[in-house]
Amino acid sequence: MTKKKTRSKQSPVNYKKAMGFDSMFANEKTNFTVGVTVFMLAVYIIICFCSYFNTAAADQSLVMHPLAGDLVNSGREFHNYCGSYGAYISHFFIYSCFGFAAFMIPLFLLACAMSLMGIYKLNLWKWFFCMMLVMIWCSIAFAKFLAPLLSDMVFNAGGGHGAFVCQSLENMIGPPGLTAILGLTAIFFLTYLSYDTIIIIRKMLNPIGYLTRKVKFSLANAGDDNTVLQPDQSANLKPEDNLVSTPTETVTTTTEHVTNTEAKPEAPVDNAPQSTPSEEGIGLEIEQGTIEESAGGSIMADDKILSPYDPKATLSRYQYPTLGLLRKSDNDNVAIDMDEQTANKNRIVEVLGNFGVQVSSIKATVGPTITLYEITLAPGIKISRVRSLEDDIALSLAALGIRIIAPIPGKGTIGIEVPNANPQIVSMESILNSKKFKESKMALPLALGKTISNEIFMVDLAKIPHLLVAGATGQGKSVGLNAIITSLLYKKHPAELKFVLVDPKMVEFSIYKPLLNHFLAQIPPESDADEPIITDVTKVVKTLNSVCQEMDDRYNLLKFANVRKLEEYNEKFINHQLNPENGHRYLPYIVVIIDEYGDLIMTAGKEIELPIARIAQKARAVGIHMIIATQRPTVNIITGTIKANFPGRMAFKVMSQTDSKTILDSSGANQLIGKGDMLILDKGTPVRVQCAFVDTPEVIAINEFIAQQPGYDGPFELPEPVSEDGGVGGSAEDLSNLDSLFAEASKLIVSTQQGSTSLIQRKFAIGYNRAGRLMDQLEKAGVVGQAHGSKPREVLIQDENTLISLLNTLGAA
């Protein structure tokens, strides 16, 4: 007996402690057997649940009325893959109880199985209560937020339990109260799980203070000759490409940025303007001779006039995409169907006459998809009478998408927009091949399509300056974004424009990856696996904060150049009126495009909205513009702050008049016919436009063409956001992971006895971030001292032998 007791106290007792139960089964074999059984049960339930999504409708009548179906399922009435029991189990847990959250049940059973089989040691009581809370919370949250989006499903997304609790709480405390309760319980639970939740909430509640601390740190640590010239992509340039000879001097193309942490007081930047491709970063370093401005405004060097700086020089062999990459549409020159126009005109006059509205004249303007009938009413007829007949006119014409404009702005007439029976496709080729686009002098021309009068519709993004795009799924929103990007690619050189593409859906912008070394911008990647198209929410926040930093740096450049906008600044730089040695550089336009903004807001909330609001409020003058798109233009997604700072609006068909008012501040978008039919808010008046169609194969062909052109060695390098402690990145001073140029940089510093970050940047033709990290590592290794105001860093090693000894110690020799 004693021996038996001793054996029972060994392995079985340990498993019981691991599971968190005081007593379970007598021995390990029993535990393992039960574990396997529970595992199979969990898998069975998961299969039941998954099958339920496809068979719920078919089995609904049987499970709702048990007598109607055979529980044994001898006649195979049940469609669930796991039979009649699978149908009843799924119906109970998903339909009647917890909706999607019911999957927590088999997941908990899997955890129990793993613990019983001895694979993992888990505290099952803790797992039980945590997963129970998560299941209940998700059930209510899904009923609140997800169910309205999945209204066509047989079951509520939160199940019967979620729907009941959600409705009950909303009846008592209203929708805002329920949202607050869900938010609070989520915060409490996450705080219980991890202390990091507290840190994140503190940042969210005081983001301005957080950014202010970073800026103060950057200013406080300004120092040394470390007016770091940031070439962004100077690494793209070969040394032989960077030298140009003149009869009187040696002119060296160099980089020009100012570091975040080191800057002269007289330099034009307090915080570092961030990396741009080498082409944009090329300036002039005068090694011999003097420069002065001539009476005519030209720049003189030893009595010789310097030719204007050409930002496109590095990629002078770059060829713009050709129109042959785009397909011509067979519908571009289709003749007008006069029979259709006459019939519609007669019906409109007849309907109005039946209701006592007399028409003195009617004129038709035929567009690619819509015809505008411009009506002049007889004297004494009120406009309101015509507005009230919108449905009657639509019924008479047997057409959807009828829209009445009463009156037409600037005219004494009323407009009735009627869809054409045979709409035409507006090809992107016909738009880009137009004289208007070819001769356009817009800074950032967006060729969007054709108006009702068949005119090419273009806007200048630089003047809008930010664009809000909305439209229900499948109505042309993605094609519209592709048209925007395509028109810019056909008009701008890689030196003049960079894109920051944010794609939470991970599939819309992936086709633009080939543009990496020409048009894309990103923060320095943490690994080779990092994608140039930002899809991860945490990286979206980091990237947007990086764009904010770039914006602030550019404003510092403009301030010290005594100009008010980017165009004036670049003109000065091209004419050699700004010295790249002081951190000045050529500034390309940056266009940030965010697809499915609503998904980001639901995921990250204020953490996303804050940097977007900052960029929208301030970035116009420094050439940074935003385009955000959403398929859910609700007031929760498009807040007052966003609307106030995005004057440009582009609305495709939406599902309700409320959505239309949210995006356009007026109805109309809900009356569009889809397939690229859109309203653009231009100078306060909505303009109806048929969006140009550019198909995916065309976009791929354009991107592949550009990818074959001469490009940079990498993307435009945005500044890495400053961490809470003021440093850039997290491993700048890690001596266990030294930069490959560490040994050469240390020898350069010791041989010249100049502790200058800009010296490292010029000699090795590297970007700002890398040069800054090298200087941090040199300081950590004891090669240079700390920054002291505007003075160069002190070089602590005086002879080469001491340096070689140090390099051997660090394993960097």
Side-chain angles (χ1 to χ4, degrees), residues 599-641:
D599 184 70
L600 293 179
I601 285 295
M602 292 179 66
T603 306
K606 292 293 182 182
E607 203 171 2
I608 289 286
E609 187 175 359
L610 175 64
I612 289 178
R614 285 200 66 220
I615 294 168
Q617 289 169 352
K618 292 181 58 179
R620 171 182 184 174
V622 292
I624 300 176
H625 305 276
M626 292 199 74
I627 300 172
I628 63 176
T630 180
Q631 61 181 347
R632 296 190 298 272
T634 63
V635 292
N636 295 330
I637 303 299
I638 303 176
T639 62
T641 302

Side-chain angles (χ1 to χ4, degrees), residues 440-445 460-463 488 491-492 567 589:
S440 170
K441 301 300 180 184
M442 295 178 179
L444 293 173
D460 189 352
L461 182 61
K463 293 182 179 179
L488 291 174
K491 202 68 175 179
K492 308 303 290 185
E567 292 79 10
Y589 287 99

Side-chain angles (χ1 to χ4, degrees), residues 584-596:
H584 290 290
R585 56 188 171 114
Y586 183 85
L587 301 177
Y589 287 99
I590 297 178
V591 177
V592 182
I593 304 180
I594 302 177
D595 188 26
E596 201 33 61

Side-chain angles (χ1 to χ4, degrees), residues 56 112 133 206 251 273 354 366 377 407 428 434 462 541 547 560 599 651 676 697 801:
C112 292
L133 289 174
N206 189 19
V251 181
N354 291 338
V366 183
L377 299 178
M428 197 71 199
S434 65
V541 175
V547 174
F560 284 98
D599 184 70
N801 291 332

Side-chain angles (χ1 to χ4, degrees), residues 125-135 189 192-193:
W125 282 118
K126 182 177 180 179
W127 275 70
F128 172 75
F129 285 114
C130 287
M131 296 188 78
M132 179 185 67
L133 289 174
V134 171
M135 181 174 66
F189 181 73
Y192 166 73
L193 291 182

Side-chain angles (χ1 to χ4, degrees), residues 163-323:
F164 174 78
V165 175
C166 177
Q167 187 62 52
S168 300
L169 290 176
E170 284 191 340
N171 291 340
M172 291 185 287
I173 58 178
L178 175 58
T179 303
I181 288 178
L182 290 172
L184 285 173
T185 52
I187 291 172
F188 292 156
F189 181 73
L190 293 174
T191 303
Y192 166 73
L193 291 182
S194 173
Y195 180 78
D196 290 342
T197 305
I198 299 176
I199 299 174
I200 294 172
I201 293 174
R202 285 174 178 170
K203 290 180 183 178
M204 293 173 62
L205 294 178
N206 189 19
I208 300 298
Y210 175 63
L211 293 175
T212 303
R213 287 198 301 274
K214 293 196 292 185
V215 173
K216 287 181 178 178
F217 186 88
S218 297
L219 295 175
N221 287 274
D224 99 25
D225 169 86
N226 306 326
T227 303
V228 176
L229 306 174
Q230 305 177 58
D232 322 292
Q233 282 189 331
S234 344
N236 301 339
L237 301 178
K238 297 184 176 69
E240 60 267 29
D241 295 334
N242 289 347
L243 298 176
V244 180
S245 298
T246 67
T248 60
E249 61 187 287
T250 300
V251 181
T252 305
T253 57
T254 183
T255 58
E256 71 270 357
H257 288 29
V258 178
T259 182
N260 253 1
T261 58
E262 305 167 312
K264 289 183 181 179
E266 66 271 17
V269 192
D270 294 323
N271 299 331
Q274 306 308 330
S275 304
T276 42
S278 57
E279 176 177 350
E280 294 97 10
I282 299 173
L284 291 176
E285 177 191 350
I286 306 302
E287 296 183 349
Q288 299 176 8
T290 57
I291 293 182
E292 63 183 17
E293 186 173 351
S294 67
S298 301
I299 299 299
M300 308 291 293
D302 285 347
D303 298 327
K304 300 292 183 181
I305 298 179
L306 293 177
S307 60
Y309 166 71
D310 183 9
K312 304 177 184 178
T314 305
L315 299 185
S316 58
R317 292 177 296 165
Y318 173 86
Q319 295 183 5
Y320 290 80
T322 63
L323 291 173

